Structure formats: structure tokens, C-alpha cells
Amino acid sequence: TLGLSATGALAQSDPLSSWNEGKTKQAIVDFVTAVTTDGSADYVVPADRIATFDNDGTLWSEQPMYVQLAFALDRVKKTAPDHPEWKDTEPYKSVLAGDLKGLAATGEKGVLELVAVTHAGMTSDEFTKIASDWIATAKHPETGRLYTDMVYQPMLELIDYLHDNDFKVFIVSGGGIEFMRPWTEKVYGIPSERVVGSSIKTEYKVVDGEPVITRQAALNFLDDKEGKPIGILGHIGKRPIAAFGNSDGDFQMLQWTTSGDGKRFGLIVHHDDADREVAYDRKSVFGKLDKGLDDGPKLGWTIVSMKNDWKQIYPDD
Amino acid sequence: TLGLSATGALAQSDPLSSWNEGKTKQAIVDFVTAVTTDGSADYVVPADRIATFDNDGTLWSEQPMYVQLAFALDRVKKTAPDHPEWKDTEPYKSVLAGDLKGLAATGEKGVLELVAVTHAGMTSDEFTKIASDWIATAKHPETGRLYTDMVYQPMLELIDYLHDNDFKVFIVSGGGIEFMRPWTEKVYGIPSERVVGSSIKTEYKVVDGEPVITRQAALNFLDDKEGKPIGILGHIGKRPIAAFGNSDGDFQMLQWTTSGDGKRFGLIVHHDDADREVAYDRKSVFGKLDKGLDDGPKLGWTIVSMKNDWKQIYPDD
Ligand SMILES: [Ca+2]
Ligand SMILES: [Ca+2]
């Protein structure tokens, strides 16, 4: 029993207990140990321990569609009575008819318009309430779980592990910044000021004596691909030493991060677990991973096999 | 001697020892005490203790001109040999002739162009080095002191006091974000990710296999007036509970901050000390304070008289 207790204590003290032993987990631990060991040639002062995480498909599920797109579709249905013209206008017509192929046919332009329109026309405070209310009850169409329960347990442990090692951890997502901020602190332990994302234009004005920030149906900043390094520099002012993603939208973020001086770390989550999650990569509409799968290993990036490297997928598993 | 020692200890333990006793200092202490006292009706959790500070004229000197403008003028002189056409083109012509009135005559457009051009055409890393090198040695034309020694001791104490009370302190300046970031941590104890400012457009690209972020001579975001609440929401995602400024460029930041629910604090530094600094307000080219002087007190804002409220101006005084 003494032996068993010791094993129990060991297991409990492993900050990455949902990760299987192997070279992926070892690469993470080696990197963190190297940059945090005082006197090591690779030592990095805490102020420069910047780590950036993509969100969709890296920290939580993005299939069968981005959670934010599910939110936008719900908003179209909910606000359709105020927009009778939507019955005959794409992309709304397809959404209201439940025709996702029709929506897809409107292309990126249609989808961006859909997101912009459903996310605009209210104040920032109002939008925060709408998004908060929605995420509190919205459920995944297949698992019936809350979306915020479909976050990846190994990645939650990784964030905590980095925090425990005095890293400053940021989300850097193509998703809407104000869609994420209401819940990232509670779900990931990442406060709103450490969330970087895409945004629509806003305006400050005083209405009936009350200052408000209103949201407009026009893109301000797209935090994807080349946009990620730009968003990071704008928000953080430093190049990360570690970056975590899952798709080619993260390629430039990892490229920029891992080409800096000193020890660097890039990691790509590869969705290869058809049994416990969804297997997808080169041909996926959401979270396409093609170039990263070919070039990542050559660039020294760590590719996570969800199937082999993760003991557990979701916190409630 | 026992009495003297006790007085010495008391003086040392006052976190705002450069502030004279009086209602200004008391207002600061009362606010911080109210929002940090557990069980108080005004209690605010640490995550929401957001405080924003303007920089020029609030944390450091802005006379006879913004420090960043002095930097831009130096850049014009230094890089003029590469731009023979500047001899005959405004606003460069005036700058090279040392004719500040001629520069002023080119208006805001001329000055913005000057700043954009002198801050562009290099990578972000190169600019950081140029700005760091300059600020390390550049001196104020009248006092001969380093600009970074011309920061206000009472405001440094105020930042430390807020940090000690678990506030998250941000700079929100009309100045260039990448001009400030190289030195704010060292001078103010505020890290780069907590600096919000104006910016020019940047681009991510790979040059000879090396990823770089290049700077372009076009404005991206002007963090002034209505831009300050927009910049704060974009970077922080929350409305501050306390805001500190010195000019009408801060009006909207204080208006938005102090109109939120719960206890709020707005403070304006009034430059009324002609002997120890410079007295200026309603008619100043830099740091014009007019509306804030009239409306601030009605809105419950605290107006700091540098002359009466501050025992000391600079750290080395
Ligand atoms: Ca992703
Ligand atoms: Ca100012």
C-alpha cells in the first residue's frame, strides 16, 4: 500500500496527467524546463515567456462547424422576424431554410457577411450579454454537451502548466474577440485582456447622455494567417516563445514564433481520433490542416496525435 | 529620537509620499480603499480592477513638444541624406531648417505625415532598436535631463499603489504604441502587453526565409479622444474603473470610465506649476485642456493641481 500511495501521489502531481507518456509530452516538458531553469543557456525571464494558443480546434471543438457560426445561425433564426427581407436574400435565405450547402455556396463572403450582420447593430455591452446568455445554454448538435464542456482536457492542463511556470498565456484566434471574452476566464483561466481575435468596427458615442460603444457590420481586423503575427504584435508587443494551433490558419503564428532567437516551441494538434472525436485535416472545411502537416515537422514543430498522445479528450470523459 | 524614528517609518510607509495631504490625495485613497475592502458595497474583484493612464503630460513631460515628435525630428535630420527631395518638400523642409513654426503651419496633416514616414520603412524589430537607442540617450532641450527621468514621481507612486492593490494598470496613449513599449516596463513597471497606443499599418512577410513584420507609412489606429474607449475595449475587453489623463484627448476615456456602474474614479492632471514645470491648459498646442477643466468637476472628476498637490515633480528633484 505504501508503494500504491506513492504512485498515487506521483500521478496527482503530474501537471500533464491527461497526456500519454511519449515524445510529444516529453517535448513539452523539455521545453518548459529549459526556458525556466535559472542558469540554463535557454533560460527566458518570465516577462518574455509569452505563449499563444489558437482557440477553435486547439482548445475546443470546431466540428461540425465553428461554435461561433452556430451562434450566428441561431441569431439569424432569432432575429428573422425583424428582417422580412431575409426570406429572399442570401445568405439568410439558406440559413432560414436550414440549407447549409446553400450557405456554403455563398462562399467566404456570405459567411463573413452573416457573422458581421448578426454580431452588429447593438452596443458592445448588449453583445456581451447576448453571447454570454447563448454560451451558457447552447449545446453541441451531436453530443448534446455544452460547448464549454467540449474543451480539451490535455490543453487545459497545458495552459495551467504554463501558468504555473510563469508564462503569460494568450488566446490568438480567428474567432470574434468579443464572442470569446465573456467566458475565457472561467473556462480557460485566461482573462479578457489576454484574448486576441478578429473584430468588427466599433464606434464610441453618447446616446441620451450615456456613452456607448456600438458595433457595426464591417470587418475591422481578421486575426487569421498573416493576421495572427500582426494581432500578436499589436496586442502583446512581443514575439511569443511558444505557439499552439491546429490548422493552416496558425501557420504564420508558428512560423514567426519558432523562427525567433533562442529556444522556441511550436505545436500543432492533429485531429486524428475518429473514435473519440472527429478525424479531419487536409480537406476539412473548418480547421484545414495541410501545409502545417507537411512543413511542420521539418520546421521542428511538435505534431500532437489526439489518438495516441491524449489519454482523455474532454474534462467529463 | 524614538519619536523621529516613528515619523520616519510612517513617512516611508506612505505609498503616496510625494502627494501633499489634502482632498486630492484623500480622494485617491478613499477610492482605492472602497473598491478593495472585502465586504464593502463598492468592492470590486481584482480581475475588474482596470486602471488606464494617458502618457504624455500625465506620466511624463510633454513640453515644449511631445517626446515622440522630438524623436521624429531627430529621425528626419538623421535620415535626410537618403532623402534629397526633403530639402524642397514640406513638412521636411521646415524641420531641416529648424523652423518649427513652418512645421506647425503644415497642420495636423503635416505632423502626422512626418511621424508616419519617420516611423515606417523598417521592420518592427528594427524600429524597436531605433527607439530604444534614442530614448537611452535623448535629452530634454531645456533641462538637459533624459526624457525618461522627466516622469512624474507622484504618478509613479500612484501606479505602484494601484499595483499593490491588485489593479491591472494600462497605458492608453495617443502616442505610438511601439515607441512606448521598449521602455514602459523599466520606467513605469508596465509591461508591453499593457500598453495601448496609436499605430501605423504593418505587414507580415517572409524575406529571404526570415519572417518579419514591416512598418508602413499609413495610420492604422489613432488612440485619441473617441479612439481611447475603442482602443481600451479592443485591448482589454473591459471598461476601466479608474482613468487618469491630462488633456481633452482623455475626455472620452474618463467619460466612459466614470459613467459605468458602481464606484468609479476619474483624474485630470492640471499643469499649473510654472515654477517647477510649465503652466498650460486651454490654449496649449500640446496637451490642450479646456472642456475637461470646465466639465470634469461637474462629472465628479478629481483635478490635480501640480502646484498644490505634488510635493515633488521628478524622481531626481
Ligand atoms: Ca483553429
Ligand atoms: Ca496627454
Side-chain angles (χ1 to χ4, degrees):
Chain A
T1 59
L2 201 71
L4 276 174
S5 291
T7 312
L10 256 180
Q12 276 188 350
S13 73
D14 178 1
L16 299 175
S17 60
S18 294
W19 293 73
N20 286 317
E21 298 304 324
K23 65 183 183 165
T24 300
K25 181 175 180 173
Q26 199 57 49
I28 295 169
V29 173
D30 286 350
F31 169 75
V32 172
T33 304
V35 298
T36 59
T37 302
D38 214 346
S40 144
D42 300 315
Y43 180 76
V44 175
V45 294
D48 291 336
R49 292 182 201 158
I50 307 289
T52 55
F53 284 79
D54 168 60
N55 184 40
D56 298 306
T58 296
L59 297 180
W60 76 348
S61 167
E62 65 182 349
Q63 300 292 355
M65 71 174 77
Y66 295 136
V67 177
Q68 194 176 357
L69 183 54
F71 167 73
L73 299 185
D74 278 4
R75 290 299 299 163
V76 168
K77 288 170 198 158
K78 188 150 189 180
T79 58
D82 301 332
H83 298 274
E85 75 281 8
W86 282 358
K87 270 185 306 197
D88 306 308
T89 325
E90 290 292 7
Y92 314 98
K93 188 180 161 185
S94 289
V95 174
L96 293 172
D99 176 11
L100 290 183
K101 279 198 179 143
L103 171 62
T106 68
E108 191 179 7
K109 189 168 168 292
V111 174
L112 278 179
E113 181 183 325
L114 189 78
V115 171
V117 166
T118 54
H119 287 57
M122 71 287 278
T123 69
S124 176
D125 287 345
E126 285 163 355
F127 180 77
T128 295
K129 176 156 172 37
I130 290 167
S132 303
D133 288 351
W134 186 84
I135 202 79
T137 59
K139 288 183 174 148
H140 190 274
E142 285 157 20
T143 67
R145 285 176 170 177
L146 289 175
Y147 285 114
T148 49
D149 287 342
M150 295 189 63
V151 295
Y152 304 129
Q153 175 63 23
M155 298 304 278
L156 297 181
E157 291 172 8
L158 181 48
I159 290 171
D160 287 347
Y161 178 54
L162 293 172
H163 277 149
D164 288 345
N165 280 282
D166 294 332
F167 275 74
K168 296 178 180 180
V169 178
F170 293 79
I171 289 174
V172 178
S173 168
I177 192 165
E178 291 209 68
F179 178 73
M180 296 181 281
R181 280 174 161 165
W183 50 269
T184 56
E185 173 112 47
K186 190 175 156 208
V187 175
Y188 302 135
I190 296 177
S192 66
E193 71 270 18
R194 291 192 178 166
V195 177
V196 182
S198 297
S199 57
I200 57 177
K201 288 192 190 299
T202 55
E203 193 186 353
Y204 178 82
K205 51 186 178 183
V206 179
V207 178
D208 299 333
E210 278 298 309
V212 291
I213 293 178
T214 59
R215 295 170 57 80
Q216 286 148 27
L219 188 69
N220 176 58
F221 178 68
L222 187 60
D223 191 47
D224 197 31
K225 300 189 175 74
E226 291 84 1
K228 290 205 173 191
I230 299 291
I232 291 169
L233 190 68
H235 274 257
I236 308 174
K238 284 180 179 174
R239 199 193 296 220
I241 63 167
F244 306 82
N246 79 302
S247 83
D248 286 350
D250 303 310
F251 192 89
Q252 288 82 356
M253 174 168 78
L254 267 76
Q255 181 184 50
W256 189 53
T257 299
T258 59
S259 61
D261 294 334
K263 204 165 181 75
R264 304 281 167 149
F265 193 74
L267 180 149
I268 293 277
V269 174
H270 185 202
H271 293 262
D272 61 355
D273 191 333
D275 290 337
R276 295 185 300 173
E277 206 229 9
V278 187
Y280 63 96
D281 46 42
R282 296 182 194 273
K283 290 178 176 163
S284 183
V285 175
F286 302 102
K288 179 179 162 179
L289 174 65
D290 186 36
K291 191 171 162 61
L293 217 43
D294 293 331
D295 293 0
K298 297 178 211 160
L299 293 164
W301 302 350
T302 295
I303 312 294
V304 172
S305 161
M306 287 177 71
K307 189 173 173 177
N308 300 320
D309 290 321
W310 288 2
K311 259 184 218 157
Q312 184 182 342
I313 307 286
Y314 304 115
D316 296 337
D317 284 349
Chain B
T1 58
L2 202 69
L4 275 173
S5 291
T7 311
L10 255 181
Q12 276 189 349
S13 72
D14 178 3
L16 300 175
S17 60
S18 294
W19 293 73
N20 286 317
E21 298 304 323
K23 64 182 186 171
T24 299
K25 180 175 182 174
Q26 198 58 48
I28 295 169
V29 173
D30 286 350
F31 169 76
V32 171
T33 304
V35 298
T36 58
T37 303
D38 213 345
S40 144
D42 300 315
Y43 181 76
V44 174
V45 295
D48 291 336
R49 291 181 202 159
I50 308 290
T52 54
F53 285 78
D54 168 60
N55 185 38
D56 298 307
T58 298
L59 298 180
W60 74 349
S61 168
E62 63 182 349
Q63 301 291 354
M65 69 174 78
Y66 294 136
V67 178
Q68 193 175 358
L69 183 53
F71 167 73
L73 299 186
D74 277 3
R75 290 299 298 165
V76 168
K77 289 169 199 159
K78 187 148 190 181
T79 58
D82 301 331
H83 299 273
E85 74 282 8
W86 282 357
K87 271 185 303 192
D88 306 306
T89 325
E90 290 292 9
Y92 314 98
K93 187 181 163 187
S94 290
V95 173
L96 293 173
D99 175 9
L100 290 183
K101 279 197 181 145
L103 171 62
T106 68
E108 191 180 6
K109 188 168 168 293
V111 174
L112 278 179
E113 180 183 323
L114 189 77
V115 172
V117 166
T118 53
H119 287 59
M122 70 288 277
T123 70
S124 175
D125 287 345
E126 285 162 355
F127 180 77
T128 295
K129 176 155 175 34
I130 291 168
S132 303
D133 289 350
W134 186 85
I135 202 80
T137 60
K139 288 182 175 150
H140 191 274
E142 285 155 20
T143 67
R145 287 176 169 177
L146 288 175
Y147 285 114
T148 49
D149 287 341
M150 294 190 64
V151 295
Y152 305 128
Q153 174 65 22
M155 298 305 279
L156 297 181
E157 290 173 8
L158 182 48
I159 291 172
D160 287 346
Y161 178 53
L162 293 173
H163 277 151
D164 288 345
N165 280 281
D166 294 331
F167 275 74
K168 295 177 181 181
V169 178
F170 293 79
I171 289 174
V172 178
S173 168
I177 191 165
E178 291 207 68
F179 178 73
M180 295 181 282
R181 279 175 162 166
W183 51 270
T184 56
E185 172 112 46
K186 189 174 157 211
V187 175
Y188 303 134
I190 296 177
S192 66
E193 71 270 17
R194 292 192 178 166
V195 177
V196 183
S198 297
S199 56
I200 57 177
K201 289 192 191 298
T202 55
E203 192 185 354
Y204 178 83
K205 52 187 178 183
V206 179
V207 179
D208 300 332
E210 278 298 309
V212 291
I213 293 178
T214 58
R215 295 169 59 80
Q216 287 148 29
L219 188 68
N220 176 58
F221 179 66
L222 187 59
D223 192 48
D224 197 31
K225 302 191 174 74
E226 291 84 1
K228 290 206 174 190
I230 300 292
I232 291 170
L233 190 68
H235 274 258
I236 309 174
K238 285 180 179 174
R239 199 192 296 219
I241 64 166
F244 305 82
N246 79 303
S247 83
D248 286 351
D250 303 310
F251 192 89
Q252 287 83 356
M253 174 169 77
L254 267 75
Q255 180 183 51
W256 188 53
T257 298
T258 59
S259 62
D261 294 334
K263 204 165 181 73
R264 304 281 167 149
F265 193 74
L267 180 149
I268 293 278
V269 175
H270 185 201
H271 293 261
D272 61 355
D273 192 333
D275 290 336
R276 296 185 300 172
E277 207 228 10
V278 187
Y280 62 97
D281 46 40
R282 297 182 194 273
K283 290 178 177 166
S284 182
V285 174
F286 302 102
K288 178 179 163 181
L289 175 65
D290 186 35
K291 191 172 162 60
L293 218 44
D294 292 331
D295 294 0
K298 297 178 210 161
L299 293 165
W301 302 350
T302 295
I303 312 293
V304 171
S305 161
M306 287 177 70
K307 190 174 175 177
N308 300 319
D309 291 323
W310 288 3
K311 259 183 220 156
Q312 183 181 344
I313 307 286
Y314 304 115
D316 295 339
D317 282 349

